[in-house]
Amino acid sequence: PNDGEVGVSLTDAIDAMFPGHVGKATLFISWTWRYKVRGFLNTLRAYCLDNRVGQDQYIWMCFFCNNQRQWLSGVRNSAAEEFADMVTYIGKVVSVVDNYRAADAQYFQRLWPVYEIFVASQQGITITLALMEEACDELQNERLGQLRNAIDVDVMQASASVQADVVAIRSQIAAGQGGANRVNQVVRDLFFEMLQKLFQQCL
């Protein structure tokens, strides 16, 4: 949130330097900090082209939009509530995933993106997976029938840097409708649907 202080978010600087490039978010981008910038941007570019995302649409990414001063100083509202509110408000999630084998994906080793999928699945919000380009290239050596085991994942094994966040998020997932099993199934369904489409596109 903008509290009127210096160092609020990068979107404030972007808006000041490039008027018209900041607007109401229409896509919530779910990702993890471990990605390489070039591959991540190429994946977003490909997603926008494939899905005809126009210039009247805007993405929300925590890196650009969070109140950085509050996060760095430790003065912030509940992080989980902030992310949940944004997922619900925007109503459409694009999950940028780095590996077509879910259990090996860095994305599913981090609790925050898992939490975003959890919130979206609980609210019935549309989730789309966007596979990183390097992972898409590797699909050329796979067969669709061999990929069924690649989509198994246990979201409760994901971690976060702050232990309090780990406890809070895992507790919310466990208490949610269907618990962790439902989130795991949502992930499996999303992966299989994505792989069916991408397997043909990548070959």
Side-chain angles (χ1 to χ4, degrees):
N2 193 323
D3 55 14
E5 299 290 339
V6 174
V8 175
S9 73
L10 293 177
T11 51
D12 291 318
I14 294 171
D15 191 35
M17 296 179 66
F18 305 101
H21 286 72
V22 174
K24 181 180 178 181
T26 55
L27 296 173
F28 182 102
I29 305 300
S30 181
W31 63 299
T32 177
W33 286 82
R34 297 179 180 180
Y35 294 164
K36 294 180 179 179
V37 174
R38 185 184 299 276
F40 178 69
L41 291 178
N42 286 342
T43 303
L44 283 184
R45 185 179 296 110
Y47 172 86
C48 290
L49 289 173
D50 291 343
N51 292 274
R52 299 181 180 179
V53 176
Q55 294 184 355
D56 60 337
Q57 298 190 54
Y58 298 88
I59 66 171
W60 189 96
M61 284 180 57
C62 59
F63 175 78
F64 291 102
C65 300
N66 280 345
N67 188 317
Q68 300 296 327
R69 181 183 52 76
Q70 287 189 356
W71 278 72
L72 292 173
S73 65
V75 180
R76 63 178 189 178
N77 297 323
S78 166
E81 288 183 9
E82 287 185 19
F83 279 99
D85 288 346
M86 291 310 303
V87 168
T88 303
Y89 174 74
I90 295 171
K92 187 173 183 179
V93 175
V94 178
S95 297
V96 180
V97 182
D98 57 290
N99 197 313
Y100 59 85
R101 296 186 179 278
D104 296 329
Q106 296 183 48
Y107 182 93
F108 291 109
Q109 295 172 15
R110 304 299 297 168
L111 263 176
W112 285 112
V114 166
Y115 178 68
E116 291 153 9
I117 285 186
F118 162 72
V119 172
S121 65
Q122 293 284 299
Q123 299 291 333
I125 291 171
T126 300
I127 307 168
T128 304
L129 298 190
L131 187 65
M132 297 278 274
E133 57 179 359
E134 291 183 6
C136 192
D137 292 340
E138 293 175 4
L139 278 176
Q140 296 180 29
N141 299 319
E142 295 281 4
R143 295 175 181 244
L144 185 59
Q146 297 173 335
L147 293 175
R148 291 185 179 274
N149 293 332
I151 62 178
D152 286 332
V153 65
D154 182 359
V155 297
M156 295 299 267
Q157 296 300 312
S159 62
S161 301
V162 180
Q163 185 58 31
D165 291 338
V166 174
V167 174
I169 292 173
R170 287 180 178 173
S171 296
Q172 284 197 47
I173 292 176
Q177 183 179 4
N181 288 336
R182 178 180 178 182
V183 182
N184 288 334
Q185 186 59 54
V186 167
V187 171
R188 285 192 291 269
D189 292 343
L190 287 169
F191 256 82
F192 193 69
E193 179 181 355
M194 176 191 70
L195 290 173
Q196 283 182 309
K197 295 178 180 178
L198 288 178
F199 193 76
Q200 293 302 322
Q201 294 176 9
C202 294
L203 296 180

